[in-house]
Amino acid sequence: MKTPIFDSTYFDRLFSHFEPGLRQFIADHGKVKTFMAGEIIMQTGQHLKASALVLEGRVKLYRESDEGGEFFMYYLEPGNACALSMICAIKQETSQVTARAVEDTVLLMIPIIFMDDMMKQYKTWYYFVLETYRARFEELLTVIDDVAFRAMDERLFFYLQKQYRQLKTNKLVLSHLDIAKDLNSSREVISRLLKKMEQRGDVKLHRKFIEWLKT
């Protein structure tokens, strides 16, 4: 994947609320980095030297167990930033999560040495960081609520509905195994529940994708 040159179109499309001084600061000090689909961006235990803004693609964040299992947390889309990387970078702590590119992904990496100054000098950055913390906290609350209060069939329905809304397509290129990992279930259970959803008319199962039929 060719490394793109950072230009103002990213600001215009994704970060239009950033003030002119902040835009220039980020353009001067940020570095664009690309990751191929499936590539690990951040690993548990890694020391972080930069915080990342998502410019293109999609990033999956999850916790790993000692046995190699995954507990899905949330996705990052273009225009998002990783709140956990911000916290770890500012406090100079190691990452407690793993981040993997779901699609070919472009990130803008901002070195941590600039974080304090950006918070103090640019109000739009300060509010962006606060909003990032709030949004990611709400994502985690949703995950907790799903695990604690919803049966697996409900969790699967809302999971697919959210994918449809975020990706803005009814053709969800998700394997049964990927869904099972995200929902902390087994492929067999997910396949069985998807069959039931197909019988109800919620989805249509194809060989390489799931077609979402609900509006």
Side-chain angles (χ1 to χ4, degrees), residues 6 11 19 25 51 59 61 64 71 95 107 119 130 148 150 153 163 166 174 205:
F6 184 79
F11 286 129
E19 60 204 277
F25 187 92
S51 187
V59 178
L61 273 82
E64 289 184 298
F71 185 84
S95 173
L107 301 180
M119 290 288 283
L130 291 184
R150 283 180 177 157
D153 57 344
Q163 300 295 317
Q166 288 184 335
L174 298 163
L205 303 179

Side-chain angles (χ1 to χ4, degrees), residues 52-174:
L53 302 179
V54 182
L55 302 179
E56 298 176 20
R58 203 172 193 223
V59 178
K60 175 183 176 181
L61 273 82
Y62 57 93
R63 290 270 288 172
E64 289 184 298
S65 69
D66 294 336
E67 294 77 28
E70 298 179 3
F71 185 84
F72 170 69
M73 297 173 66
Y74 50 78
Y75 288 105
L76 296 177
E77 314 281 345
N80 293 163
C82 179
L84 295 174
S85 73
M86 288 178 170
I87 294 171
C88 292
I90 291 172
K91 298 180 70 176
Q92 298 186 13
E93 296 178 346
T94 59
S95 173
Q96 300 300 307
V97 301
T98 297
R100 184 174 71 237
V102 179
E103 308 167 357
D104 291 348
T105 297
V106 181
L107 301 180
L108 179 63
M109 313 299 291
I110 304 174
I112 62 171
I113 58 174
F114 300 120
M115 290 292 107
D116 285 342
D117 288 342
M118 291 172 67
M119 290 288 283
K120 294 174 183 175
Q121 293 181 23
Y122 304 108
K123 275 192 173 183
T124 51
W125 179 257
Y126 173 80
Y127 289 120
F128 175 73
V129 171
L130 291 184
E131 175 58 23
T132 296
Y133 289 161
R134 184 201 63 77
R136 300 291 81 81
F137 180 69
E138 288 187 355
E139 292 267 12
L140 291 177
L141 285 181
T142 299
V143 172
I144 293 170
D145 286 345
D146 285 348
V147 172
F149 304 119
R150 283 180 177 157
M152 185 56 68
D153 57 344
E154 290 181 292
R155 291 176 62 194
L156 177 59
F157 179 91
F158 286 111
Y159 170 88
L160 293 175
Q161 184 182 63
K162 187 173 183 180
Q163 300 295 317
Y164 159 71
R165 290 173 176 172
Q166 288 184 335
L167 297 174
K168 297 178 175 61
T169 176
N170 66 337
K171 293 184 178 181
L172 308 178
V173 185
L174 298 163

Side-chain angles (χ1 to χ4, degrees), residues 10-21:
Y10 284 120
F11 286 129
D12 296 338
R13 288 189 289 111
L14 303 173
F15 308 104
S16 59
H17 52 292
F18 283 178
E19 60 204 277

